[in-house]
């Protein structure tokens, strides 16, 4: 891989910006840049878990970061070009192209939020790599979250309330991504959203429920334990007991012991 000459990289990206009105040329030039900085001789550890199972370039972080920084303002001021570009990039079989598509979509002004969320929904209907899904929920919503957080939360609610389990799971994952930004006053709404999944018996939601409860426990352990104890008291069956046990290690000692005592009382009362 050639050493990174910042001036040269910036000139290459500037040329990329000049092609924003030509989606296919933009896509080709993006690959030219990524291929130029691909580290052909660098091999990750054989035991390392790949970020994505799509085709990927092996790049210094500085390259993709500089591409995003430079494209931010042009994307914000040329939304119609962005909508054409993201569709072209989405057809690509490289992770970096789809990742950039999610980033660019997140730069479109909030006045286009309905169009942005409709694109996100359309993309979610397709089979997706896990890394792409995470990029969708961390990048494509940037403008909406910044200008109208309630609108993005409503979108998450819409996913969770979708009758299809696939979209429900996406909604739970999207919710997990947002927990760092959600205020304490929103906790009751969050608890109401996840309650049916905690009380249900479908194991396909378990991983995302674990993520959500773990983050809630680290941020608001007392409120979360109180909520889980309510769910435990209102739910019958073996599954709820084992599920509550799986949450114990997410809590500080005081809260863990409180939940543990509630689980024991539930077990003694039930069996």
């Amino acid at each position: 891989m050639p050493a990174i000459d910042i001036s040269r990289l910036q000139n290459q990206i500037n040329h990329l910006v000049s092609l924003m009105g030509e989606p296919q040329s933009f896509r080709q030039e993006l690959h030219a840049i990524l291929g130029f900085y691909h580290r052909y001789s660098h091999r990750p550890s054989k035991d390392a878990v790949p970020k994505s199972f799509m085709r990927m370039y092996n790049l210094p972080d500085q390259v993709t970061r500089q591409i995003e920084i430079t494209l931010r303002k042009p994307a914000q001021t040329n939304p119609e070009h962005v909508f054409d570009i993201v569709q072209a990039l989405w057809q690509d079989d490289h992770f970096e192209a789809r990742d950039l598509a999610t980033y660019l979509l997140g730069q479109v002004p909030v006045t286009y939020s309905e169009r942005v969320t409709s694109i996100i929904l359309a993309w979610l209907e397709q089979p997706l790599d896990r890394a792409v899904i995470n990029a969708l929920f961390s990048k494509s919503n940037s403008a909406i979250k910044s200008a109208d957080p309630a609108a993005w939360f409503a979108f998450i609610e819409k996913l969770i309330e979708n009758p299809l389990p696939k979209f429900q799971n996406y909604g739970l994952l999207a919710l997990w991504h947002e927990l760092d930004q959600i205020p304490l006053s929103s906790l009751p709404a969050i608890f109401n959203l996840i309650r049916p999944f905690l009380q249900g018996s479908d194991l396909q939601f378990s991983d995302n429920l674990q993520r959500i409860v773990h983050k809630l426990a680290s941020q608001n352990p007392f409120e979360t334990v109180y909520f889980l104890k309510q769910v435990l008291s209102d739910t019958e069956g073996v599954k709820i007991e084992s599920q509550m046990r799986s949450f114990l290690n997410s809590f500080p000692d005081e809260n863990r012991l409180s939940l543990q005592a509630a689980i024991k009382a539930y077990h003694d009362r039930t069996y």
Side-chain angles (χ1 to χ4, degrees):
M1 185 207 80
I4 294 182
D5 179 329
I6 299 301
S7 177
R8 179 172 190 169
L9 172 61
Q10 191 59 58
N11 287 336
Q12 291 169 312
I13 300 173
N14 289 341
H15 180 55
L16 181 68
V17 172
S18 73
L19 298 172
M20 287 188 67
E22 306 170 47
Q24 293 304 328
S25 297
F26 181 98
R27 177 180 168 185
Q28 292 170 6
E29 182 63 21
L30 174 67
H31 278 292
I33 295 172
L34 300 182
F36 183 82
Y37 292 101
H38 176 67
R39 296 179 290 194
Y40 290 94
S41 61
H42 181 269
R43 294 288 182 270
S45 167
K46 65 178 181 180
D47 296 324
V49 178
K51 178 179 180 179
S52 170
F53 290 97
M54 296 183 68
R55 296 179 65 186
M56 287 186 69
Y57 291 96
N58 193 325
L59 299 165
D61 291 340
Q62 185 177 8
V63 174
T64 51
R65 184 168 60 247
Q66 194 62 35
I67 290 173
E68 290 183 349
I69 291 171
T70 305
L71 286 172
R72 181 184 301 148
K73 286 187 177 180
Q76 292 169 347
T77 55
N78 297 279
E80 292 300 334
H81 287 338
V82 169
F83 288 124
D84 292 335
I85 290 169
V86 299
Q87 297 298 356
L89 294 177
W90 198 256
Q91 304 308 313
D92 205 283
D93 61 357
H94 278 78
F95 169 74
E96 290 83 2
R98 288 199 171 189
D99 185 54
L100 183 59
T102 66
Y103 173 80
L104 291 174
L105 194 62
Q107 303 309 307
V108 172
V110 72
T111 49
Y112 294 83
S113 61
E114 288 188 11
R115 191 169 174 184
V116 169
T117 53
S118 69
I119 290 172
I120 295 172
L121 278 174
W123 286 350
L124 289 174
E125 290 178 354
Q126 305 168 20
L128 296 176
D129 180 84
R130 185 74 177 190
V132 174
I133 297 170
N134 283 319
L136 261 175
F137 291 137
S138 60
K139 294 185 176 183
S140 64
N141 53 9
S142 296
I144 300 174
K145 285 198 308 180
S146 177
D148 191 358
W152 182 247
F153 191 76
F155 178 75
I156 293 174
E157 289 179 309
K158 183 178 178 181
L159 287 176
I160 290 176
E161 293 166 359
N162 189 295
L164 297 177
K166 171 184 175 180
F167 286 96
Q168 293 171 355
N169 232 345
Y170 283 150
L172 292 174
L173 182 61
L175 179 63
W176 172 76
H177 273 280
E178 299 310 307
L179 290 180
D180 289 332
Q181 286 79 42
I182 291 177
L184 183 63
S185 60
S186 296
L187 274 181
I190 294 169
F191 291 154
N192 286 336
L193 283 174
I194 66 173
R195 177 187 283 268
F197 298 96
L198 291 170
Q199 293 181 306
S201 58
D202 197 332
L203 296 177
Q204 68 180 300
F205 303 115
S206 296
D207 287 347
N208 283 326
L209 288 173
Q210 284 283 351
R211 292 186 180 95
I212 290 170
V213 171
H214 182 77
K215 188 169 283 190
L216 288 171
S218 67
Q219 296 170 336
N220 304 283
F222 288 95
E223 293 85 354
T224 304
V225 159
Y226 181 77
F227 162 67
L228 292 179
K229 288 160 72 172
Q230 283 185 321
V231 173
L232 183 63
S233 67
D234 294 342
T235 310
E236 297 180 355
V238 177
K239 177 186 174 292
I240 190 66
E241 182 181 342
S242 62
Q243 180 157 247
M244 292 297 166
R245 291 189 186 281
S246 72
F247 298 146
L248 287 172
N249 289 335
S250 296
F251 290 93
D253 289 346
E254 178 182 358
N255 309 105
R256 184 177 71 251
L257 291 173
S258 175
L259 181 58
Q260 198 167 31
I263 295 170
K264 184 178 185 304
Y266 175 88
H267 181 87
D268 293 343
R269 184 176 67 251
T270 305
Y271 304 103

